[in-house]
Amino acid sequence: MDFHGIRIQGKDEITTPGKKLSAGRHANVFEWGEDRVIKLFKASYPTDLVTAEYYNALAVKNLPFKKPIVCELKKTEFGYGIVFEKLAGENMMDYIERTGDLKGAAIMMAQLQKDINRCTFDLENTGAIESAHQQLRRNMVNSGKADTEATKEMIRFLGTMKEGNALCHGNLHPDNVLITDEGAVAMSASNYCIGMQLFDVAKTFFLIAYTPLPGEEKEGSTCPVCRGIAGTEERKAFGRHYLDAMGKSATEIGGYLSMIIAGM
Ligand SMILES: Nc1ncnc2c1ncn2[C@@H]1O[C@H](COP(=O)(O)OP(=O)(O)OP(=O)(O)O)[C@@H](O)[C@H]1O
Ligand SMILES: [Mg+2]
């Protein structure tokens, strides 16, 4: 169904959204008045995941890294929407397509991720944000491969690993970065979690490497990325620049990467 407007409780008129800024798998983002946007979730998307994203956005609102400020959660006749302050900038995927500057983009993304990972939490008091271990375990248990010995072993191994207290974005890839005059900004609050920085690096590396190429997108694909870097060589180059900029090696992220893949 096309989206023509939102009827707000207590008001008769329909509030018409502005330009559609993005069309995602679970949500569409529209301009909303002069200085806001609304991320409007599809009706099929579970409400508890919408509220979890809203509470994540609230939990990181005052932390010292760049992200759009969350304003409110709205129930509309078209589904739930989260309202954010609108930022002016260029999506990093558009920047890469326009300039081909994979190295510059990787450095900007790594800087942003380091700013996020520098935020630490008291593990007794993480509020609404779940742990990276909870996220990894849930994905492996729900993967459809949970009964295999390999997955069972990885779940056991996860239980022996240190949890970590760094804020992880959990969904950082070029399509979730907006380049503004003030620097790179982290979009999407859907997967914030508390864990080890290596987990977040492995997750981003996974999102880069597993981005579908044109024609690869399958119906019901579990790949979390909608728009990706279009070429195997470019993905490899971006992945290498990214790991260099983070000061990490493929070997270091191997353990987390295996668990992330097992959870797909
Ligand atoms: N506050 C904002 N200001 C300007 N542009 C925005 C804002 N929020 C989102 N956008 C644009 O819309 C795009 C999609 O937003 P977002 O990443 O939150 O949704 P999604 O991709 O559908 O969901 P997710 O990444 O959580 O799976 C962003 O990459 C960005 O280009
Ligand atoms: Mg996104």
Side-chain angles (χ1 to χ4, degrees):
M1 186 209 332
D2 278 347
F3 175 56
H4 298 299
I6 290 180
R7 196 184 302 279
I8 296 177
Q9 269 173 355
K11 282 193 178 179
D12 285 340
E13 79 275 20
I14 286 181
T15 306
T16 314
K19 200 170 81 188
K20 195 186 222 180
L21 297 177
S22 105
R25 279 194 315 152
H26 306 304
N28 296 313
V29 178
F30 298 87
E31 286 180 339
W32 178 250
E34 284 292 293
D35 52 5
R36 293 186 171 190
V37 304
I38 185 162
K39 182 170 182 177
L40 194 69
F41 291 84
K42 296 179 182 170
S44 54
Y45 194 61
T47 313
D48 54 336
L49 297 184
V50 178
T51 45
E53 181 162 343
Y54 173 66
Y55 283 114
N56 278 347
L58 276 183
V60 303
K61 186 174 178 177
N62 296 317
L63 296 179
F65 69 91
K66 296 190 185 73
K67 83 299 266 173
I69 295 302
V70 64
C71 304
E72 60 181 320
L73 175 65
K74 246 181 200 327
K75 187 176 181 200
T76 80
E77 62 195 288
F78 300 100
Y80 283 90
I82 305 178
V83 178
F84 294 92
E85 285 179 9
K86 185 169 88 185
L87 295 172
E90 182 177 27
N91 184 289
M92 188 178 271
M93 274 311 305
D94 296 330
Y95 172 81
I96 290 172
E97 276 162 29
R98 184 171 63 78
T99 65
D101 179 18
L102 292 171
K103 184 173 180 185
I107 290 171
M108 279 189 268
M109 196 168 74
Q111 186 55 53
L112 171 63
Q113 194 161 26
K114 286 179 193 174
D115 289 345
I116 295 171
N117 297 156
R118 216 171 279 124
C119 303
T120 53
F121 278 72
D122 171 2
L123 287 182
E124 301 298 312
N125 187 20
T126 59
I129 308 186
E130 68 177 350
S131 74
H133 279 207
Q134 278 172 304
Q135 219 174 79
L136 281 167
R137 193 174 296 109
R138 186 180 56 245
N139 289 343
M140 285 194 274
V141 167
N142 295 337
S143 68
K145 293 172 280 186
D147 287 340
T148 65
E149 273 314 307
T151 303
K152 283 184 194 164
E153 195 48 58
M154 272 193 255
I155 292 171
R156 275 195 290 274
F157 179 53
L158 179 64
T160 69
M161 290 171 76
K162 192 175 162 196
E163 294 236 12
N165 67 347
L167 180 66
C168 299
H169 184 279
N171 193 14
L172 199 68
H173 56 80
D175 200 30
N176 274 342
V177 177
L178 196 72
I179 302 173
T180 72
D181 288 346
E182 278 77 48
V185 178
M187 316 308 293
S188 175
S190 57
N191 284 64
Y192 278 113
C193 58
I194 315 285
M196 302 289 278
Q197 182 184 44
L198 273 181
F199 161 77
D200 214 20
V201 179
K203 186 67 188 285
T204 293
F205 191 79
F206 167 82
L207 292 168
I208 297 165
Y210 282 71
T211 300
L213 295 174
E216 280 183 353
E217 292 99 345
K218 295 195 292 272
E219 196 59 36
S221 159
T222 52
C223 178
V225 180
C226 302
R227 280 198 317 154
I229 297 169
T232 311
E233 288 311 314
E234 285 80 3
R235 283 194 230 171
K236 279 189 200 158
F238 189 79
R240 272 197 302 271
H241 289 311
Y242 164 71
L243 284 182
D244 283 351
M246 288 304 292
K248 305 290 181 212
S249 67
T251 314
E252 282 176 283
I253 60 169
Y256 280 119
L257 194 55
S258 305
M259 287 187 257
I260 291 164
I261 293 169
M264 286 296 133

